[in-house]
Amino acid sequence: MMKILVINTGSSSIKYKLFDFPEKQEISQGTVERIGEENGSLHFEASTPEGKRIEHTLEQPFENHQSGLQEIARILLNPAYHMLKSAQEVQAIGHRVVHGGEVFKAPVVISEAVTAQIKALIPLAPLHNPANLTGIEVARKVFPQATQVAVFDTAFHQSLPDYAYRYAVPHRFYKENSVRVYGMHGTSHQYVAGQAATYLDKPLKRLNLITIHLGNGCSMTAIRQGKSIDTSMGFSPLAGLMMGTRSGDIDPAVVLYMGEQLGMSLQEIDHILNKESGLKGLTGSNDLRDVTRRLEEGDPQAQLALTMYTYRIRKYIGAYVAILGRVDALVFTAGVGENSTLIRSRSCQELSHIGIHIDERKNEQPAQGIREVQADDSPVKILIVPTNEELAIAQQTYALVH
């Protein structure tokens, strides 16, 4: 038996899940939010040995990430909850690290050298890697006996061929400045691909899949025989699909125009493209439920936004069918992909000529777990596969340290 804690540290938050391995049983999960602000909070859920579900929210300020993780540890060690008898029970901690560059192609046990390399990659992920490093440093203090493991969002996409990951810019930018496609959401894409293979009862190495991760951030990946061969996000998470607040693909000349003609700073442009664009830019809201409701009320901006959103998905499906040749399944996952019947339906419209034909009745039926929503005559299966990035990180951590 091994207790594995998974930590996902953001700039002002900590998400965690505690698992029992090898049973893969989730013991507890929770989030510390608004770290460094006056109105911080911690919400956690847990299951007792008797199967009773516990939920609790604690409203209090958390000065820094260390105080937040210490409070998580205190809750996990509370004898009333029967989760941990001592901090020493946590034998391993799996950390989500967003960017591994070209250095990390698989999970690694964290050493001083690994920490230094993650620091060196901060210019490639200035919003994410510093927070991930903070989580690692704090976890070492709170759980000093645990083996710390880094699992990288970019690692799964390190199998991209050079003609897919290189940009057509002078070679020196790649050689000297590491400018290339890295991709994101790799842990999720890899996990749902494996789940799809298990569900279809076929080895992943015999399958060609298109995985479609739709949340507030969105990305797609072409997977040939278990390996990522192309992905929609690029040097950063800004590229590819239209998202909740990100623009997705855009002509680089628009950025030059915004700077030179509109007098905007690079920081202003970055904020607009990452935080004020996508669904939010077109409708004022990045919540798909709000946009869908407004669509039903006849709002033309909502209609345009959702048409653009799903049009981009269909374009990428077509591109990935072209490079894969044979496609065994489309896999929808993440919050929007798993729950929005409208987005799945519109994303698969007018694709029957390439073997993709959704069954609207199946698509509308609510269900738990993995399910198929393709029509009986569809050569390509259309699957809904719930993602679980924390479990995926725990699995990779366990495989490395047990």
Side-chain angles (χ1 to χ4, degrees):
M1 299 283 284
M2 179 183 288
K3 298 285 196 308
I4 297 177
L5 182 63
V6 174
I7 295 177
N8 181 355
T9 310
S11 58
S12 62
S13 67
I14 303 170
K15 295 179 183 177
Y16 82 88
K17 281 191 180 181
L18 179 67
F19 294 93
D20 219 337
F21 266 72
E23 289 79 6
K24 303 177 187 177
Q25 178 187 357
E26 182 185 309
I27 301 169
S28 176
Q29 66 169 322
T31 307
V32 180
E33 296 181 309
R34 299 185 296 277
I35 293 171
E37 300 179 24
E38 291 183 4
N39 58 340
S41 70
L42 184 153
H43 178 81
F44 79 94
E45 301 174 19
S47 294
T48 67
E50 298 78 27
K52 182 182 176 182
R53 198 72 180 162
I54 301 168
E55 284 192 55
H56 185 66
T57 298
L58 178 67
E59 301 284 351
Q60 69 175 53
F62 293 95
E63 180 183 355
N64 50 37
H65 288 78
Q66 183 164 341
S67 64
L69 192 55
Q70 284 173 333
E71 186 62 28
I72 289 171
R74 191 186 69 78
I75 288 169
L76 293 176
L77 290 165
N78 189 324
Y81 301 140
H82 305 285
M83 290 183 283
L84 293 173
K85 293 178 182 176
S86 71
Q88 283 67 37
E89 273 195 274
V90 177
Q91 294 173 260
I93 298 180
H95 295 269
R96 180 198 181 212
V97 179
V98 167
H99 217 302
E102 292 186 310
V103 179
F104 299 106
K105 296 177 171 60
V108 293
V109 173
I110 297 170
S111 63
E112 292 303 324
V114 168
T115 301
Q117 288 173 319
I118 295 172
K119 272 183 187 169
L121 293 167
I122 284 176
L124 299 180
L127 298 179
H128 297 94
N129 273 27
N132 302 153
L133 278 166
T134 298
I136 291 168
E137 291 162 4
V138 170
R140 281 172 162 170
K141 295 175 183 175
V142 179
F143 296 96
Q145 79 296 332
T147 302
Q148 312 280 333
V149 173
V151 178
F152 300 89
D153 265 12
T154 51
F156 182 56
H157 302 303
Q158 283 297 298
S159 54
L160 264 63
D162 54 3
Y163 54 79
Y165 72 69
R166 287 291 299 274
Y167 290 115
V169 296
H171 178 65
R172 68 179 183 275
F173 289 103
Y174 170 65
K175 188 174 181 180
E176 298 171 15
N177 307 109
S178 303
V179 174
R180 54 157 285 177
V181 170
Y182 290 101
M184 303 289 163
H185 294 151
T187 304
S188 177
H189 287 290
Q190 184 176 18
Y191 175 78
V192 298
Q195 292 292 106
T198 300
Y199 173 83
L200 295 170
D201 196 25
K202 292 184 179 179
L204 186 55
K205 290 184 177 180
R206 289 177 49 196
L207 292 174
N208 287 355
L209 305 171
I210 299 173
T211 50
I212 307 171
H213 178 111
L214 304 176
N216 193 47
C218 303
S219 65
M220 291 173 58
T221 298
I223 298 174
R224 175 183 288 143
Q225 298 173 346
K227 295 185 180 296
S228 171
I229 63 164
D230 206 344
T231 193
S232 60
M233 286 181 170
F235 178 73
S236 79
L238 184 58
L241 302 178
M242 181 175 140
M243 310 178 214
T245 64
R246 297 186 189 122
S247 66
D249 288 339
I250 191 170
D251 183 343
V254 173
V255 177
L256 301 178
Y257 177 81
M258 293 168 80
E260 294 175 355
Q261 302 300 321
L262 305 183
M264 299 176 68
S265 69
L266 288 175
Q267 289 77 14
E268 289 173 314
I269 296 169
D270 176 76
H271 179 79
I272 287 172
L273 295 181
N274 276 293
K275 301 294 186 182
E276 300 293 335
S277 297
L279 289 175
K280 185 176 182 181
L282 294 170
T283 70
S285 174
N286 65 314
D287 190 323
L288 187 74
R289 293 166 296 187
D290 292 341
V291 180
T292 302
R293 176 182 51 77
R294 288 166 53 182
L295 172 73
E296 293 166 352
E297 295 169 354
D299 184 336
Q301 286 302 108
Q303 172 65 50
L304 174 63
L306 290 177
T307 299
M308 290 173 64
Y309 186 97
T310 52
Y311 175 75
R312 191 76 62 88
I313 294 169
R314 293 205 311 276
K315 280 179 66 174
Y316 269 92
I317 289 173
Y320 289 169
V321 168
I323 64 171
L324 286 169
R326 186 195 85 249
V327 176
D328 297 293
L330 296 185
V331 180
F332 285 93
T333 193
V336 172
E338 294 169 31
N339 297 303
S340 176
T341 58
L342 175 68
I343 294 300
R344 291 193 301 266
S345 174
R346 287 192 170 202
S347 298
C348 294
Q349 282 178 358
E350 301 175 1
L351 296 180
S352 57
H353 62 292
I354 55 174
I356 297 167
H357 185 192
I358 198 166
D359 184 312
E360 297 295 354
R361 182 185 58 82
K362 293 179 185 175
N363 187 43
E364 292 282 348
Q365 290 178 342
Q368 298 295 315
I370 301 175
R371 62 192 192 274
E372 301 180 30
V373 295
Q374 78 278 356
D376 293 339
D377 62 348
S378 178
V380 178
K381 289 189 179 294
I382 305 173
L383 304 180
I384 302 167
V385 179
T387 193
N388 190 333
E389 291 176 90
E390 291 83 6
L391 177 58
I393 291 169
Q395 288 175 325
Q396 293 184 52
T397 299
Y398 181 73
L400 188 63
V401 303
H402 92 284

